[in-house]
Amino acid sequence: MSGSKPDILWAPHHVDRFVVCDSELCLYRTESVGNFEVKAGSLRLSEDTTATLLAINSDTPYMKCVAWYPKYDPECLLAVGQANGRVVLTSLGQDRNSKFRDLIGKEFVPKHARQCNTLAWNPVDSNWLAAGLDKHRADFSVLIWDISSKYTPEIAVPAEKVRLSAGDTDAGLVVTKPLYELGQNDASLSLCWLPRDQKLLLAGMHRNLAIFDLRNTSQKMFVNTKAVQGVTVDPHFHDRVASFFEGQVAIWDLRKFEKPVLTLTEQPKPLTKVAWCPTRTGLLATLTRDTNIIRLYDMQHTPAPIGDETEPTIIERSVQPCENCIASFAWHPTNQNRMVVVTSNRLMSDFTVFERISLAWNPTTTLMWACGRHLYNCSEEGESSSGEKDVATKMRQRALSRYGLDMEQVWRNHLLAGDDDPQLKSLWYTLHFMKQYAEDAEQKSPVNKVPLVYSGIKTILKSSAERKTESYKHSWLGSDRQTGVIRYQSEERCLALQLCGWIQKGPDIDVDPFLNSLEQGEEWERAAAVALFNLDIRRAIEILNKGAALGKGDLNLNVVAMALSGYTDEKDSLWREMCSTLRLQLNNPYLCVMFAFLTSEPGSYDGVLYESSVAVRDRVAFANMFLNDTQILRYIDKLTNEMKEAGNLEGILLTGLTKDGIDLMESYVDRTGDVQTASFCMLQGSPGDVVKDPRVQYWIENYRNLLDAWRFWHKRAEFDIHRSKLDPFSKPLAQVFVSCNFCGKSISYSCSAMPHQGRSFSQYGVSGSPTKSKVTSCPGCRKPLPRCALCLINMGTPVSSCLGTGKSDEKVDLSKDKKLAQFNNWFTWCQNCRHGGHAGHMLSWFRDHHECPVSACACKCMQLDTTGNLIPAEIS
C-alpha cells in the first residue's frame, strides 16, 4: 500500500481471482497451464499455474487497508480505508448489476480525520462494515457503517475532510453518520466479527482485547493484553481467536477469556500477519518481517475449556514458498492448504503446503497413512508365495495353526509352519530327537544325561575328550573289495548320530529305518548318499535304480548308479580321475559328495564336510563316523561359528539350547524377526539359566505382545500355559484374591503356608481333615472374617457344617467331589452394597428374591447384575 508493503486478498466467491493492494488495486485471474508455454501478458506463479492481469484501479490513493465484500453480488466490491479515516467503496471493472452500481464511490467519513487501521465486513449482515481508527480524544475509534444508508449531511463536508480525496466528491455519496460508535478515547488496531453472533465484534484496542455487543453498546467484555494486533477467528472453531504483538502470538478461548490458553514461541523479528487456514482445522500461519519463511502451527485437537496448567498439543513447522522476502500471503478459500504469497517488489508465487504424512502399521501387516483429508490403505494382494510373505504374516498364520504347541510329536511343528523351510524342519526334528532321548534317559535315571542331550553335539563330543575313541576298519558291505575304511565309534558319537536322526535308540548302528523313511519321502539322492557313507555301495546303487524307475527322480540316476558300480580303490585309475573331474557338474549336492567321498584320501574329506548345500545334520553325522577326535572337534567348532554368524537354525544341533544357542538364535531373529520360533525353541527343555537370559525374555514378551495386538487372546493364553509347563518359574502370581478388610492381605489357604508367616494351620482355626477345614480369621492379622448374611457364621466355614442348611442348599451344591474350596463355600458379595455370604446361600436366596438379604438394605442386588437370570437350574 502507499508507503508500505503490498498485501494480497483472495476473492471470497471466485476461486480463481485475487487482488494485490499497493498504491493501486490490481485484479488477477489464475489459470492452470501445466507444462504448456505461458501466454503473453501472463505471470508464472508456479509450475502449474499462471496469473493474468484483469483490471487496475488507481482511484483510491493513500490506502491503508482493504476488505472484500463477503457476498457474491456485487462480485468485485471492495472497501478501502484511507490515511484520513475515510472508507471508500470501489470496484474492479464495471458491474453489470445496476442495483448495486450506486454503491461504487460511496464514502463514509468520520468526524475527525485520522488513519483507518482495519476494516471488517459483517459475515451475516453484509451491509455492516466496521472500521478501526486511530485514537482521538473526542471521538470513537470503532465505527460501524451501514453501506445501504441514504443519510446525506445537511451541511457540506468541511474542506479539511476531503483534502485527501481524489477529485470532487458528490455530496450524495458521502455518509457521516455511523450506525454504531464504540471505543471512545481509544485506538483500534484490528477488528473481526464473531461468527457465533452477528452483533458481537472483537476489537484489538490500544491496551486490551474487547468484545462489543451491539445490543448493549454501553458494556463490553475485555482483557488487558499487549497482543492486540491481527485478531482473527478460527473458521472451524469459532471460540478460538489468534492475535499477536511484536514477535509473539497469543491463542485465546472466548469461553475462558481471562488469559491466553496458549502462547506460541516468540519470533526474533516482529510479526506482520497471522491467518487461520480456511480449509484445514487448527492450522495457523504466521509471517515475520523481512523473511522468506512462513511458520505453521498445527493445533492437533479441537480445544475444549482448558485447565490453567494444560496446553493443547501443537506441531510447529516452517515452509519456504519463494526465495525473496515475503510481504504478505493469503490462503485460498477452497483449495486445501493452498496460498499465494507476494514479495515487496510484487513478485507472486502460488504454493501448496504439503501435509505431514503419518504412517501406521496395522497388526495384520496393513500399511495406512494419512495425508490431509485422505486416508490411504495398502495391503497384500493375491496369494503370494511363502517366501515373499512378511514374517508377521507368517507368524500370524502359524499361530492360528497352533504352531509350536505340539508337545507329543515335536517334529510335526514344522508341518504346522505351513511352508517347506529346511531350517525349520531341521530345528524341529532336532528338538524332537533331543526330547525323545531325554525321556528315555530319564526312565533309565542317569541324571547327568538329561542336561547333556540339550547341550548340543559340540558339548557332547567335548565330554568324550578324556576317553579314547575306538577306531576300526570297516569293510564295504556287499562287495568283494578287501580294503576297508577307518571309522570311529564311542558312546558320545553314537548319541550324536541319534540326534542327527541317522540311527534310533539302542546300542546297534542300524541306518535301515532312516533309509526307508528317506525312500518313502522320495529323497533318493540323500538316501543313496547315506547308504554309501555307511559303506553299503550295493544298497546305494539299488536306491538310485529305484528312484530312476519311479520316474520322479533325476533322469541321470541310472547313469550315476552305473558310475558307482565301477568304483575302484586304485589311486591312479581312470575311474577316479574322471569322477574327480566331472562330479562338480552334477546338479544335486548329494550326488556330488558321493563321488567326493569315493575319490578322497583316507582322513581327508573336505569335499563332503564343506559342501554347504548338504544338510548340516548329514555332514555332522558323516564327521562322527570318519574323523578322529582332533579333526572332529576342530570341524565342529568351525561349523558352529559359521552357523552362529549366519543365524542358521540347523546349527541348534551343534549348539543345543545353551548360551551358544541363544547367540545363534539372536542372529536368526536379527535376520528374520521370527520371535515366534525363537520363543518356542528356547522354552523346549531349556534349563532355567537359559530361559532367564534377557534376550530370551525379550523374544517371549514380544511374541506375547504380538498375540495381544492380533487379538489372539486364547492363543496367548495357550502360549502362557505352554510356557508355564516348560518353565515353572514363569507361572504368574495370583492377580485376583479375597483380601482382609483390616490388613488387606490375601486370606486364601495358600497364604498360610507362606514361609514369612511361620504359623501352623491350627493357629488360624484350621483343624481336622482337609475336606472339613475352615479358616474363620485372617491369616495375617487374625481378625475375624465377615459373616454370611444368611447363616450369620463367619466366612470360611464350609456350607455343609452350617446350621440350617436344608433341601434348597443341597439343590445348588454345584461341586459334588469333596475338596477344600467347593463352589458353595466361595465368598460372594454385591458390588454395590458390599453385602454377601456363601455362594450356595446366595444362590438359594436370589432364586426367590431380588433384594439384598440384609434387612436394613434396600439394594436390588440381582437386578443390578446382567447375568442375574443365569441361576443354575435345579438338579433333578
Side-chain angles (χ1 to χ4, degrees):
M1 299 180 189
S2 180
S4 63
K5 297 180 180 180
D7 197 4
I8 188 167
L9 299 173
W10 274 103
H13 299 288
H14 294 274
V15 296
D16 61 343
R17 297 185 184 184
F18 63 88
V19 166
V20 176
C21 316
D22 197 353
S23 57
E24 55 190 8
L25 300 174
C26 299
L27 177 65
Y28 291 89
R29 182 179 63 201
T30 61
E31 294 179 328
S32 298
V33 294
N35 296 325
F36 298 103
E37 294 184 2
V38 180
K39 297 179 181 180
S42 299
L43 303 175
R44 173 73 77 172
L45 297 182
S46 66
E47 294 181 357
D48 301 323
T49 57
T50 60
T52 303
L53 181 62
L54 298 182
I56 299 177
N57 187 331
S58 56
D59 297 336
T60 52
Y62 308 106
M63 286 188 294
K64 292 298 180 181
C65 52
V66 179
W68 203 309
Y69 186 71
K71 298 298 182 181
Y72 182 82
D73 195 13
E75 58 182 10
C76 289
L77 181 65
L78 292 96
V80 178
Q82 296 180 312
N84 60 354
R86 286 173 174 253
V87 178
V88 181
L89 300 183
T90 185
S91 177
L92 291 165
Q94 293 295 328
D95 197 314
R96 295 185 298 271
N97 193 337
S98 60
K99 177 181 178 181
F100 297 97
R101 189 172 297 175
D102 296 338
L103 294 176
I104 308 302
K106 199 168 189 177
E107 296 188 13
F108 304 92
V109 183
K111 294 180 182 178
H112 301 88
R114 59 206 188 272
Q115 179 173 301
C116 180
N117 297 317
T118 180
L119 294 173
W121 291 96
N122 190 305
V124 179
D125 190 344
S126 56
N127 288 330
W128 290 6
L129 175 63
L133 308 174
D134 275 348
K135 180 179 179 180
H136 193 281
R137 61 178 180 173
D139 202 354
F140 297 89
S141 61
V142 178
L143 305 179
I144 299 177
W145 304 96
D146 185 354
I147 64 172
S148 62
S149 173
K150 301 297 183 181
Y151 176 79
T152 301
E154 298 177 356
I155 58 174
V157 180
E160 64 270 14
K161 291 187 179 181
V162 297
R163 64 179 181 271
L164 295 178
S165 176
D168 296 333
T169 302
D170 187 355
L173 295 178
V174 176
V175 178
T176 59
K177 180 63 176 177
L179 189 62
Y180 295 97
E181 295 178 313
L182 307 168
Q184 188 174 15
N185 195 23
D186 204 345
S188 177
L189 303 178
S190 58
L191 293 172
C192 69
W193 294 91
L194 299 183
R196 64 182 182 181
D197 195 316
Q198 67 171 356
K199 293 191 177 183
L200 292 180
L201 179 67
L202 177 62
M205 310 305 285
H206 180 57
R207 290 290 182 182
N208 57 70
L209 284 179
I211 298 178
F212 295 100
D213 190 344
L214 302 186
R215 293 165 295 192
N216 185 5
T217 57
S218 62
Q219 295 182 356
K220 67 177 181 179
M221 182 171 65
F222 67 94
V223 56
N224 293 326
T225 179
K226 292 183 178 180
V228 296
Q229 298 175 329
V231 291
T232 175
V233 181
D234 187 348
H236 297 280
F237 183 68
H238 297 161
D239 286 320
R240 181 162 54 189
V241 175
S243 64
F244 68 89
F245 171 72
E246 293 186 352
Q248 198 166 54
V249 178
I251 307 297
W252 306 83
D253 191 332
L254 298 182
R255 298 168 299 180
K256 191 174 183 180
F257 203 44
E258 293 84 6
K259 64 179 182 178
V261 295
L262 180 66
T263 302
L264 302 182
T265 306
E266 186 172 0
Q267 304 300 322
K269 295 181 179 180
L271 291 161
T272 59
K273 187 172 184 178
V274 298
W276 295 99
C277 179
T279 59
R280 172 72 155 76
T281 303
L283 185 61
L284 180 69
T286 66
L287 176 66
T288 56
R289 184 185 301 169
D290 301 330
T291 182
N292 61 350
I293 293 176
I294 295 177
R295 292 189 179 273
L296 303 175
Y297 299 90
D298 189 1
M299 316 289 175
Q300 291 296 294
H301 303 286
T302 301
I306 299 174
D308 294 336
E309 303 300 329
T310 57
E311 293 185 352
T313 303
I314 62 172
I315 296 178
E316 179 181 351
R317 57 185 293 207
S318 300
V319 295
Q320 184 178 346
C322 61
E323 298 294 333
N324 300 325
C325 292
I326 301 172
S328 183
F329 70 91
W331 290 105
H332 195 280
T334 57
N335 291 0
Q336 187 174 2
N337 293 359
R338 179 184 175 189
M339 65 169 61
V340 170
V341 300
V342 61
T343 64
S344 302
N345 51 3
R346 296 180 68 106
L347 295 177
M348 293 169 288
S349 177
D350 191 351
F351 179 75
T352 300
V353 179
F354 290 99
E355 292 283 356
R356 294 174 180 264
I357 297 178
S358 302
L359 291 173
W361 278 107
N362 186 286
T364 57
T365 68
T366 299
L367 178 64
M368 302 191 71
W369 66 93
C371 184
R373 298 177 181 177
H374 303 285
L375 187 64
Y376 300 92
N377 181 19
C378 178
S379 59
E380 294 179 332
E381 294 183 357
E383 293 294 333
S384 58
S385 63
S386 59
E388 296 175 354
K389 291 181 180 178
D390 184 76
V391 65
T393 303
K394 293 181 182 179
M395 289 192 291
R396 191 169 186 271
Q397 293 175 349
R398 292 170 185 172
L400 290 172
S401 63
R402 302 188 77 253
Y403 169 75
L405 296 176
D406 194 333
M407 294 290 293
E408 298 300 325
Q409 299 293 330
V410 179
W411 62 272
R412 286 181 52 83
N413 287 298
H414 89 88
L415 300 177
L416 300 176
D419 55 353
D420 190 15
D421 189 338
Q423 291 193 32
L424 288 180
K425 183 176 181 180
S426 174
L427 171 68
W428 288 110
Y429 268 105
T430 298
L431 296 176
H432 171 73
F433 294 136
M434 287 180 175
K435 179 177 181 292
Q436 191 178 33
Y437 182 77
E439 291 175 350
D440 183 65
E442 188 176 359
Q443 291 175 2
K444 296 179 182 179
S445 220
V447 181
N448 60 328
K449 294 293 183 182
V450 176
L452 182 62
V453 71
Y454 284 109
S455 59
I457 290 180
K458 178 181 177 181
T459 304
I460 292 173
L461 293 178
K462 285 186 176 180
S463 66
S464 65
E466 299 178 356
R467 295 188 295 273
K468 184 74 174 175
T469 302
E470 298 179 4
S471 61
Y472 60 95
K473 277 197 174 184
H474 197 287
S475 60
W476 291 90
L477 301 177
S479 174
D480 54 357
R481 295 177 180 82
Q482 300 297 324
T483 305
V485 180
I486 299 177
R487 290 178 56 172
Y488 299 88
Q489 187 175 0
S490 67
E491 183 181 353
E492 287 73 19
R493 292 189 184 226
C494 183
L495 175 58
L497 289 175
Q498 292 176 3
L499 294 179
C500 291
W502 277 30
I503 63 176
Q504 295 182 351
K505 295 181 291 186
D508 299 330
I509 300 178
D510 183 12
V511 296
D512 284 341
F514 181 53
L515 292 177
N516 293 333
S517 66
L518 292 179
E519 291 181 27
Q520 291 178 2
E522 298 183 354
E523 298 182 62
W524 310 109
E525 296 86 350
R526 185 183 179 192
V530 174
L532 185 66
F533 295 157
N534 283 274
L535 305 183
D536 193 349
I537 194 170
R538 183 175 296 276
R539 178 71 182 275
I541 294 173
E542 292 175 355
I543 293 172
L544 292 175
N545 289 331
K546 186 177 180 181
L550 292 177
K552 297 181 180 179
D554 193 337
L555 297 177
N556 296 323
L557 291 183
N558 279 328
V559 178
V560 175
M562 185 184 303
L564 286 179
S565 64
Y567 166 67
T568 176
D569 53 4
E570 296 180 8
K571 295 183 179 180
D572 299 329
S573 64
L574 180 62
W575 183 92
R576 181 183 290 267
E577 181 182 348
M578 294 304 297
C579 288
S580 300
T581 306
L582 300 177
R583 71 179 182 85
L584 297 178
Q585 298 181 11
L586 297 172
N587 294 328
N588 191 281
Y590 282 97
L591 298 179
C592 184
V593 297
M594 288 169 64
F595 289 101
F597 172 63
L598 295 176
T599 58
S600 298
E601 295 294 332
S604 178
Y605 302 106
D606 290 354
V608 180
L609 298 174
Y610 295 102
E611 177 58 58
S612 58
S613 299
V614 175
V616 171
R617 63 179 57 256
D618 294 334
R619 287 188 277 162
V620 173
F622 178 87
N624 271 279
M625 292 191 296
F626 296 103
L627 297 185
N628 59 37
D629 290 344
T630 304
Q631 289 176 322
I632 193 172
L633 291 178
R634 186 186 307 117
Y635 172 72
I636 292 298
D637 284 341
K638 184 176 181 180
L639 186 59
T640 301
N641 292 332
E642 291 178 1
M643 296 294 104
K644 288 168 60 176
E645 291 178 3
N648 192 330
L649 293 180
E650 295 182 81
I652 293 293
L653 176 69
L654 304 174
T655 63
L657 304 180
T658 60
K659 294 293 185 183
D660 284 342
I662 297 177
D663 294 338
L664 186 150
M665 192 61 70
E666 183 180 23
S667 299
Y668 171 76
V669 173
D670 291 343
R671 179 171 58 87
T672 64
D674 185 6
V675 294
Q676 183 185 46
T677 299
S679 301
F680 280 113
C681 176
M682 289 295 119
L683 286 173
Q684 189 75 29
S686 297
D689 56 340
V690 173
V691 180
K692 292 178 182 178
D693 189 282
R695 292 170 291 180
V696 177
Q697 293 297 320
Y698 180 77
W699 300 331
I700 292 174
E701 290 305 317
N702 272 273
Y703 180 55
R704 296 178 73 250
N705 293 337
L706 267 179
L707 293 175
D708 287 337
W710 293 330
R711 299 186 179 183
F712 289 176
W713 319 121
H714 292 90
K715 300 297 180 184
R716 199 257 301 151
E718 287 180 357
F719 175 74
D720 288 342
I721 295 172
H722 175 80
R723 177 187 178 188
S724 63
K725 290 179 180 178
L726 299 176
D727 180 19
F729 297 99
S730 66
K731 290 184 178 180
L733 298 176
Q735 297 174 325
V736 178
F737 55 87
V738 180
S739 62
C740 175
N741 287 332
F742 299 96
C743 66
K745 295 181 180 179
S746 172
I747 61 174
S748 62
Y749 297 140
S750 58
C751 287
S752 58
M754 287 185 176
H756 70 275
Q757 296 192 2
R759 298 190 181 109
S760 63
F761 277 91
S762 60
Q763 291 178 302
Y764 299 120
V766 180
S767 60
S769 63
T771 57
K772 296 183 179 179
S773 299
K774 59 180 181 178
V775 178
T776 59
S777 61
C778 172
C781 63
R782 302 182 66 181
K783 294 291 181 66
L785 299 181
R787 295 180 181 271
C788 174
L790 290 170
C791 67
L792 301 182
I793 297 179
N794 293 93
M795 298 298 296
T797 305
V799 175
S800 58
S801 65
C802 294
L803 297 177
T805 55
K807 183 177 180 180
S808 61
D809 293 328
E810 295 175 358
K811 293 179 180 180
V812 295
D813 189 1
L814 304 180
S815 181
K816 294 300 181 184
D817 55 333
K818 292 187 176 181
K819 54 185 179 181
L820 186 61
Q822 297 180 13
F823 179 74
N824 282 0
N825 302 335
W826 284 16
F827 287 42
T828 309
W829 64 92
C830 173
Q831 294 293 327
N832 184 42
C833 65
R834 304 297 182 181
H835 297 143
H838 297 105
H841 293 167
M842 292 296 106
L843 287 175
S844 177
W845 170 266
F846 286 112
R847 188 178 301 278
D848 302 318
H849 305 83
H850 292 287
E851 291 188 0
C852 179
V854 177
S855 58
C857 181
C859 177
K860 306 287 186 180
C861 302
M862 185 54 65
Q863 294 180 355
L864 297 176
D865 194 349
T866 56
T867 60
N869 58 345
L870 301 181
I871 299 178
E874 294 187 2
I875 302 174
S876 58

